[in-house]
Each structure stands twice: as C-alpha cells, then as structure tokens.
Amino acid sequence: MKLFDLHCDTPYEMAHKNASLTKNDLHISLDKTASYSAYIQSAAVWSDCRLSDEDAWGEYLRISERFAQEIAHCPNAFIGRTADDVRRALNTGERCFIPAVEDARILAGDLTRLSILQKNGVRFLTLTWAGESCIGGSHDTDKPLTDFGRSVVEHCFDLHIIPDVSHASRAVTAEALQMAKAHGKPVIATHANAFSVHPHTRNLTDGEFRAIADCGGIVGISLCPEHLTAGNCGIESVADHIRHYIRLGGEDTVCLGCDFDGIGETPDGLFDVSCLIRLADHLSTAGIPSRMIDKLFFDNAYGFATGNFQ
C-alpha cells in the first residue's frame, strides 16, 4: 500500500522532544512507515500560539533547519519540493517529506518572508490557526482576511505555495476560494472533516468542500477525535467523514491529512502512522472499492502534487 498524508506536526514535536526521525515514540517515524511501498508526508512546522509572531518566526527557522538536518542523515528519506521529487518518491520508495507551515501569522506583515518559505520548499501554508491574526480570522471567529492576508494569498498563488484553509473562519475560507477562482489557482484543506457529519467549527460545510473541489483543490481527513464525533471515536468515525465526502462527489478530492503529532489523542485503533492499514481494511470490508481506497490513501494527493508543484 502507498500513503500520501497531507498534514502532520512531527517536525515541531521532534524538535521539542529532541527525537530522531528514524525511531521515536511519536506518531510518525521512519520505522513506522516500513509497510508502505511509497510514503509521502507533508510535514508542517506549527506556529506555537503561546509565542509572539516574531518569536514564532524564529522558532519556524530553527525547527525547519533541525528537521532538514535530521533528514539529511537518513539514507532513505529526503525533502521534497517539486513534482519531480514527488515522482522520485513513488519510483524509488524513498520517504519524501514536503515542508509546510501551520499558521501564516509568522509572516508578521512582511511579504518577503513568503519568498524565504518558498526557498525552504514550503508548498502548503495554513493561513490561520486560532483567534485573529495579521492574516485574518480562524474557525473560532467570524473575521475575514485582513488586507495583508489578501496580499499573502495572492503572493502564494504567484510563488506556487498552496493556501490551506483548514483552520480558517467561514469568511476567510469564502474569500480565499473567491480569489482562487479569480486566479485560476487551487486552495486546499489539508486536515478538515465534514461539518454535516459532526458540527465542529473546524469542519468544512458541504458548500466549502464542493468549492475546494471545483477550484482543483483537495481535502484531507483529520484523525482528531474532537473533529470526528461527539461520542466514542474509532475507525468507523473516520469512515463516516470519508463516505460523506465521497457522496458529495469527492472521489477525486478526498485524501488523508491525519494531523499526527498535532493531536493529543487518536481514534481507537489508529495509534500511529503504521495503523492506517486498519482503516483501509475497514473501508474495504464496508464495501468501499479498492480503487477508491487507493485514491484516498495516495493517488488524489499524488495527482494534485505532481500537477501543482513547480
């Protein structure tokens, strides 16, 4: 089985726990990916909400450099920045990690920092995380993009960085999608579940999901129990959101964006990246065709990356 996951926070957790990528007690390590014939992981540096924007920028630089150095010492892993890098991972079986940033507030009013992110290989930029920032409002607000936030989205399109609305307010999501349509560019949600299945503010409405699909974007299913269900959370809770997105016409849109190492708990049975095969088995037993499972686990994200990375 092949796996392309759209979101994890492993670089942050590795830095703060002084952990190795090869083997650790986190949700993701190289040894835990052994059962996948191909493995591509978007690895985000989270902007710690306890830090000022400036301090969070410094933290981003430190963590991203540490992660790059760690991967440089792993013979079977590399940083992926381009479509050719993603193809290489499929062809060779090497483990590919795509840089990402969670919470664009680290730009702190300075658009030139986007060019630094681009040079560092960042391909996914989560616009907001919580509350209000220099970018705009998060899911727990009703605030739209700021003027600076609009400039950030436009410059992302120019730099081939994909805006991610996973944590955004309805207003920010709507405006980002309007801008994407006007520019003929995609917007994505790397880790966002279905509001119709579980009405959490972090989850996408059906209209938002369809709009992301219409602009050529993709949506990753998160394993955060709080965003999956109000009751006991297991593999079936994850399957409910997958089935709903498929029913919305999302066969070519829905992916995995597990949020490993960014969540305190996981659904029962899905304790780390090695356990995702249980999700595939569950979906197969429930009657989901193997072709759809392949799209969910790998092909949709792979097609998006090879079509949009420069």
Side-chain angles (χ1 to χ4, degrees), residues 173-217:
T173 299
E175 192 168 2
L177 285 164
Q178 289 171 359
M179 295 172 70
K181 183 176 181 180
H183 286 76
K185 299 286 187 177
V187 162
I188 65 174
T190 58
H191 55 304
N193 298 330
F195 187 85
S196 290
V197 176
H198 179 54
H200 192 285
T201 57
R202 267 281 284 107
N203 293 342
L204 298 174
T205 66
D206 292 354
E208 289 169 340
F209 179 86
R210 290 192 179 102
I212 291 172
D214 288 345
C215 76

Short mmCIF file of all heavy atoms in Angstrom, two decimals, residues 173-217:
data_model
loop_
_atom_site.label_atom_id
_atom_site.label_comp_id
_atom_site.label_asym_id
_atom_site.label_seq_id
_atom_site.Cartn_x
_atom_site.Cartn_y
_atom_site.Cartn_z
N THR A 173 -12.32 31.50 4.48
CA THR A 173 -12.44 30.41 3.50
C THR A 173 -13.16 30.89 2.24
O THR A 173 -12.71 30.64 1.12
CB THR A 173 -13.18 29.22 4.12
OG1 THR A 173 -12.43 28.72 5.24
CG2 THR A 173 -13.35 28.09 3.11
N ALA A 174 -14.27 31.60 2.44
CA ALA A 174 -15.04 32.08 1.29
C ALA A 174 -14.21 33.03 0.43
O ALA A 174 -14.21 32.93 -0.81
CB ALA A 174 -16.31 32.77 1.77
N GLU A 175 -13.49 33.94 1.07
CA GLU A 175 -12.71 34.91 0.31
C GLU A 175 -11.53 34.24 -0.38
O GLU A 175 -11.21 34.57 -1.55
CB GLU A 175 -12.23 36.03 1.23
CG GLU A 175 -11.68 37.21 0.46
CD GLU A 175 -11.48 38.44 1.33
OE1 GLU A 175 -11.75 38.37 2.55
OE2 GLU A 175 -11.07 39.47 0.78
N ALA A 176 -10.86 33.33 0.29
CA ALA A 176 -9.75 32.62 -0.33
C ALA A 176 -10.23 31.84 -1.55
O ALA A 176 -9.53 31.78 -2.59
CB ALA A 176 -9.08 31.69 0.67
N LEU A 177 -11.40 31.24 -1.45
CA LEU A 177 -11.95 30.49 -2.58
C LEU A 177 -12.33 31.42 -3.73
O LEU A 177 -12.12 31.08 -4.91
CB LEU A 177 -13.16 29.67 -2.12
CG LEU A 177 -12.82 28.44 -1.30
CD1 LEU A 177 -14.05 27.91 -0.57
CD2 LEU A 177 -12.25 27.34 -2.21
N GLN A 178 -12.86 32.59 -3.43
CA GLN A 178 -13.16 33.56 -4.47
C GLN A 178 -11.88 33.99 -5.19
O GLN A 178 -11.85 34.10 -6.43
CB GLN A 178 -13.86 34.78 -3.86
CG GLN A 178 -15.27 34.53 -3.39
CD GLN A 178 -15.84 35.70 -2.60
OE1 GLN A 178 -15.17 36.71 -2.38
NE2 GLN A 178 -17.09 35.57 -2.17
N MET A 179 -10.83 34.23 -4.43
CA MET A 179 -9.56 34.62 -5.02
C MET A 179 -8.97 33.49 -5.86
O MET A 179 -8.39 33.72 -6.93
CB MET A 179 -8.58 35.04 -3.92
CG MET A 179 -9.01 36.29 -3.16
SD MET A 179 -7.96 36.65 -1.72
CE MET A 179 -6.45 37.15 -2.55
N ALA A 180 -9.11 32.26 -5.38
CA ALA A 180 -8.62 31.12 -6.14
C ALA A 180 -9.32 31.02 -7.49
O ALA A 180 -8.68 30.79 -8.52
CB ALA A 180 -8.82 29.84 -5.33
N LYS A 181 -10.63 31.21 -7.47
CA LYS A 181 -11.40 31.15 -8.72
C LYS A 181 -10.96 32.25 -9.68
O LYS A 181 -10.78 32.01 -10.88
CB LYS A 181 -12.88 31.27 -8.42
CG LYS A 181 -13.78 31.15 -9.63
CD LYS A 181 -15.25 31.19 -9.25
CE LYS A 181 -16.15 31.04 -10.46
NZ LYS A 181 -17.59 31.08 -10.07
N ALA A 182 -10.74 33.45 -9.15
CA ALA A 182 -10.34 34.58 -9.99
C ALA A 182 -8.96 34.37 -10.60
O ALA A 182 -8.69 34.82 -11.72
CB ALA A 182 -10.37 35.87 -9.17
N HIS A 183 -8.07 33.70 -9.87
CA HIS A 183 -6.70 33.49 -10.33
C HIS A 183 -6.51 32.16 -11.05
O HIS A 183 -5.43 31.89 -11.58
CB HIS A 183 -5.73 33.56 -9.15
CG HIS A 183 -5.49 34.94 -8.62
ND1 HIS A 183 -6.41 35.60 -7.83
CD2 HIS A 183 -4.44 35.80 -8.79
CE1 HIS A 183 -5.93 36.79 -7.51
NE2 HIS A 183 -4.75 36.94 -8.08
N GLY A 184 -7.55 31.33 -11.07
CA GLY A 184 -7.41 30.01 -11.66
C GLY A 184 -6.44 29.12 -10.92
O GLY A 184 -5.72 28.31 -11.52
N LYS A 185 -6.41 29.25 -9.59
CA LYS A 185 -5.49 28.50 -8.74
C LYS A 185 -6.26 27.70 -7.69
O LYS A 185 -7.39 28.06 -7.34
CB LYS A 185 -4.53 29.47 -8.02
CG LYS A 185 -3.65 30.30 -8.94
CD LYS A 185 -2.54 29.46 -9.54
CE LYS A 185 -1.57 30.34 -10.33
NZ LYS A 185 -0.44 29.57 -10.86
N PRO A 186 -5.66 26.64 -7.16
CA PRO A 186 -6.35 25.87 -6.13
C PRO A 186 -6.13 26.39 -4.71
O PRO A 186 -5.11 27.02 -4.42
CB PRO A 186 -5.73 24.47 -6.27
CG PRO A 186 -4.33 24.77 -6.73
CD PRO A 186 -4.43 25.98 -7.62
N VAL A 187 -7.09 26.12 -3.87
CA VAL A 187 -6.98 26.25 -2.42
C VAL A 187 -7.29 24.87 -1.86
O VAL A 187 -8.12 24.13 -2.42
CB VAL A 187 -7.97 27.30 -1.88
CG1 VAL A 187 -8.20 27.15 -0.39
CG2 VAL A 187 -7.47 28.71 -2.20
N ILE A 188 -6.66 24.50 -0.76
CA ILE A 188 -6.87 23.17 -0.19
C ILE A 188 -7.22 23.28 1.29
O ILE A 188 -7.12 24.35 1.90
CB ILE A 188 -5.63 22.27 -0.35
CG1 ILE A 188 -4.45 22.83 0.45
CG2 ILE A 188 -5.27 22.12 -1.82
CD1 ILE A 188 -3.23 21.90 0.44
N ALA A 189 -7.65 22.14 1.85
CA ALA A 189 -7.79 21.99 3.30
C ALA A 189 -7.05 20.71 3.65
O ALA A 189 -7.54 19.62 3.39
CB ALA A 189 -9.26 21.92 3.71
N THR A 190 -5.86 20.85 4.20
CA THR A 190 -5.02 19.68 4.42
C THR A 190 -5.56 18.75 5.49
O THR A 190 -5.31 17.54 5.44
CB THR A 190 -3.58 20.09 4.82
OG1 THR A 190 -3.64 20.90 6.01
CG2 THR A 190 -2.90 20.85 3.71
N HIS A 191 -6.30 19.29 6.46
CA HIS A 191 -6.83 18.44 7.53
C HIS A 191 -8.13 19.05 8.06
O HIS A 191 -8.13 19.84 8.99
CB HIS A 191 -5.81 18.21 8.64
CG HIS A 191 -5.23 19.45 9.27
ND1 HIS A 191 -4.59 20.43 8.56
CD2 HIS A 191 -5.17 19.85 10.57
CE1 HIS A 191 -4.17 21.38 9.37
NE2 HIS A 191 -4.51 21.06 10.60
N ALA A 192 -9.25 18.66 7.42
CA ALA A 192 -10.55 19.24 7.78
C ALA A 192 -11.66 18.24 7.46
O ALA A 192 -11.75 17.75 6.33
CB ALA A 192 -10.78 20.54 7.01
N ASN A 193 -12.48 17.96 8.43
CA ASN A 193 -13.54 16.98 8.29
C ASN A 193 -14.87 17.63 7.91
O ASN A 193 -14.94 18.83 7.67
CB ASN A 193 -13.65 16.16 9.57
CG ASN A 193 -12.38 15.39 9.86
OD1 ASN A 193 -11.65 15.00 8.95
ND2 ASN A 193 -12.08 15.19 11.14
N ALA A 194 -15.93 16.83 7.88
CA ALA A 194 -17.23 17.26 7.35
C ALA A 194 -18.14 17.78 8.46
O ALA A 194 -18.49 17.04 9.39
CB ALA A 194 -17.90 16.11 6.61
N PHE A 195 -18.55 19.03 8.33
CA PHE A 195 -19.46 19.66 9.30
C PHE A 195 -20.80 18.93 9.34
O PHE A 195 -21.43 18.83 10.40
CB PHE A 195 -19.65 21.13 8.93
CG PHE A 195 -20.42 21.93 9.93
CD1 PHE A 195 -19.79 22.51 11.03
CD2 PHE A 195 -21.79 22.11 9.79
CE1 PHE A 195 -20.51 23.24 11.96
CE2 PHE A 195 -22.52 22.85 10.72
CZ PHE A 195 -21.87 23.42 11.81
N SER A 196 -21.26 18.41 8.22
CA SER A 196 -22.55 17.71 8.18
C SER A 196 -22.54 16.43 8.99
O SER A 196 -23.58 15.98 9.47
CB SER A 196 -22.95 17.40 6.73
OG SER A 196 -23.29 18.58 6.03
N VAL A 197 -21.36 15.84 9.15
CA VAL A 197 -21.23 14.63 9.95
C VAL A 197 -21.05 14.98 11.43
O VAL A 197 -21.65 14.34 12.31
CB VAL A 197 -20.05 13.78 9.45
CG1 VAL A 197 -19.85 12.54 10.35
CG2 VAL A 197 -20.28 13.35 8.01
N HIS A 198 -20.23 15.99 11.69
CA HIS A 198 -20.01 16.44 13.07
C HIS A 198 -19.84 17.95 13.05
O HIS A 198 -18.86 18.47 12.52
CB HIS A 198 -18.77 15.77 13.67
CG HIS A 198 -18.47 16.20 15.07
ND1 HIS A 198 -19.40 16.12 16.10
CD2 HIS A 198 -17.35 16.73 15.63
CE1 HIS A 198 -18.86 16.58 17.22
NE2 HIS A 198 -17.62 16.95 16.96
N PRO A 199 -20.78 18.70 13.64
CA PRO A 199 -20.81 20.16 13.50
C PRO A 199 -19.81 20.89 14.41
O PRO A 199 -20.19 21.60 15.33
CB PRO A 199 -22.26 20.51 13.86
CG PRO A 199 -22.68 19.44 14.81
CD PRO A 199 -21.99 18.19 14.33
N HIS A 200 -18.55 20.70 14.10
CA HIS A 200 -17.49 21.45 14.80
C HIS A 200 -17.06 22.60 13.90
O HIS A 200 -17.01 22.46 12.67
CB HIS A 200 -16.31 20.52 15.09
CG HIS A 200 -15.30 21.10 16.04
ND1 HIS A 200 -14.40 22.08 15.67
CD2 HIS A 200 -15.05 20.84 17.35
CE1 HIS A 200 -13.63 22.39 16.70
NE2 HIS A 200 -14.00 21.66 17.73
N THR A 201 -16.71 23.73 14.50
CA THR A 201 -16.34 24.90 13.70
C THR A 201 -15.10 24.65 12.84
O THR A 201 -14.89 25.36 11.85
CB THR A 201 -16.08 26.13 14.61
OG1 THR A 201 -15.05 25.80 15.56
CG2 THR A 201 -17.35 26.53 15.33
N ARG A 202 -14.30 23.67 13.20
CA ARG A 202 -13.10 23.35 12.40
C ARG A 202 -13.43 22.61 11.12
O ARG A 202 -12.57 22.43 10.24
CB ARG A 202 -12.13 22.51 13.25
CG ARG A 202 -11.10 23.29 13.98
CD ARG A 202 -9.95 23.73 13.10
NE ARG A 202 -9.04 22.62 12.81
CZ ARG A 202 -8.93 22.00 11.64
NH1 ARG A 202 -9.67 22.35 10.62
NH2 ARG A 202 -8.08 21.00 11.49
N ASN A 203 -14.65 22.12 11.00
CA ASN A 203 -15.01 21.27 9.87
C ASN A 203 -15.63 22.07 8.72
O ASN A 203 -16.19 23.14 8.92
CB ASN A 203 -15.96 20.18 10.33
CG ASN A 203 -15.27 19.19 11.26
OD1 ASN A 203 -14.05 19.12 11.32
ND2 ASN A 203 -16.06 18.42 12.01
N LEU A 204 -15.51 21.51 7.51
CA LEU A 204 -15.99 22.17 6.30
C LEU A 204 -17.47 21.92 6.07
O LEU A 204 -17.95 20.78 6.23
CB LEU A 204 -15.22 21.66 5.08
CG LEU A 204 -13.71 21.89 5.04
CD1 LEU A 204 -13.13 21.16 3.82
CD2 LEU A 204 -13.38 23.37 5.00
N THR A 205 -18.18 22.96 5.65
CA THR A 205 -19.55 22.76 5.19
C THR A 205 -19.51 22.04 3.84
O THR A 205 -18.48 22.01 3.15
CB THR A 205 -20.29 24.09 5.02
OG1 THR A 205 -19.68 24.84 3.96
CG2 THR A 205 -20.26 24.90 6.31
N ASP A 206 -20.65 21.49 3.44
CA ASP A 206 -20.71 20.82 2.14
C ASP A 206 -20.36 21.79 1.02
O ASP A 206 -19.67 21.43 0.06
CB ASP A 206 -22.10 20.24 1.91
CG ASP A 206 -22.42 19.08 2.84
OD1 ASP A 206 -21.53 18.64 3.60
OD2 ASP A 206 -23.59 18.62 2.82
N GLY A 207 -20.84 23.02 1.13
CA GLY A 207 -20.55 24.02 0.12
C GLY A 207 -19.07 24.34 0.03
O GLY A 207 -18.52 24.52 -1.07
N GLU A 208 -18.41 24.42 1.18
CA GLU A 208 -16.96 24.69 1.18
C GLU A 208 -16.20 23.54 0.53
O GLU A 208 -15.27 23.75 -0.26
CB GLU A 208 -16.48 24.92 2.61
CG GLU A 208 -16.95 26.25 3.20
CD GLU A 208 -16.70 26.37 4.69
OE1 GLU A 208 -16.52 25.32 5.36
OE2 GLU A 208 -16.71 27.50 5.19
N PHE A 209 -16.61 22.31 0.86
CA PHE A 209 -15.94 21.15 0.26
C PHE A 209 -16.09 21.17 -1.26
O PHE A 209 -15.11 20.97 -1.99
CB PHE A 209 -16.51 19.85 0.83
CG PHE A 209 -15.88 18.62 0.24
CD1 PHE A 209 -14.71 18.10 0.76
CD2 PHE A 209 -16.48 17.98 -0.85
CE1 PHE A 209 -14.12 16.97 0.21
CE2 PHE A 209 -15.90 16.84 -1.40
CZ PHE A 209 -14.71 16.34 -0.87
N ARG A 210 -17.30 21.40 -1.72
CA ARG A 210 -17.52 21.42 -3.17
C ARG A 210 -16.74 22.54 -3.84
O ARG A 210 -16.21 22.37 -4.95
CB ARG A 210 -19.02 21.57 -3.46
CG ARG A 210 -19.87 20.35 -3.11
CD ARG A 210 -21.27 20.49 -3.69
NE ARG A 210 -22.10 19.34 -3.39
CZ ARG A 210 -23.04 19.31 -2.43
NH1 ARG A 210 -23.21 20.39 -1.67
NH2 ARG A 210 -23.77 18.24 -2.24
N ALA A 211 -16.65 23.69 -3.18
CA ALA A 211 -15.92 24.82 -3.77
C ALA A 211 -14.43 24.52 -3.86
O ALA A 211 -13.77 24.90 -4.84
CB ALA A 211 -16.16 26.08 -2.95
N ILE A 212 -13.88 23.85 -2.85
CA ILE A 212 -12.47 23.44 -2.91
C ILE A 212 -12.26 22.47 -4.06
O ILE A 212 -11.29 22.58 -4.83
CB ILE A 212 -12.03 22.83 -1.57
CG1 ILE A 212 -11.99 23.91 -0.48
CG2 ILE A 212 -10.67 22.15 -1.70
CD1 ILE A 212 -11.75 23.38 0.92
N ALA A 213 -13.17 21.51 -4.21
CA ALA A 213 -13.07 20.56 -5.32
C ALA A 213 -13.18 21.28 -6.66
O ALA A 213 -12.42 20.99 -7.60
CB ALA A 213 -14.16 19.50 -5.20
N ASP A 214 -14.08 22.25 -6.77
CA ASP A 214 -14.31 22.96 -8.02
C ASP A 214 -13.10 23.77 -8.46
O ASP A 214 -12.88 23.98 -9.66
CB ASP A 214 -15.53 23.88 -7.91
CG ASP A 214 -16.85 23.12 -7.87
OD1 ASP A 214 -16.84 21.92 -8.21
OD2 ASP A 214 -17.87 23.72 -7.49
N CYS A 215 -12.29 24.26 -7.50
CA CYS A 215 -11.11 25.04 -7.87
C CYS A 215 -9.88 24.16 -8.06
O CYS A 215 -8.77 24.65 -8.24
CB CYS A 215 -10.83 26.14 -6.84
SG CYS A 215 -10.09 25.59 -5.29
N GLY A 216 -10.08 22.84 -8.02
CA GLY A 216 -8.97 21.91 -8.24
C GLY A 216 -8.23 21.53 -6.98
O GLY A 216 -7.15 20.92 -7.05
N GLY A 217 -8.79 21.86 -5.82
CA GLY A 217 -8.13 21.55 -4.55
C GLY A 217 -8.45 20.16 -4.04
O GLY A 217 -9.23 19.41 -4.63
#
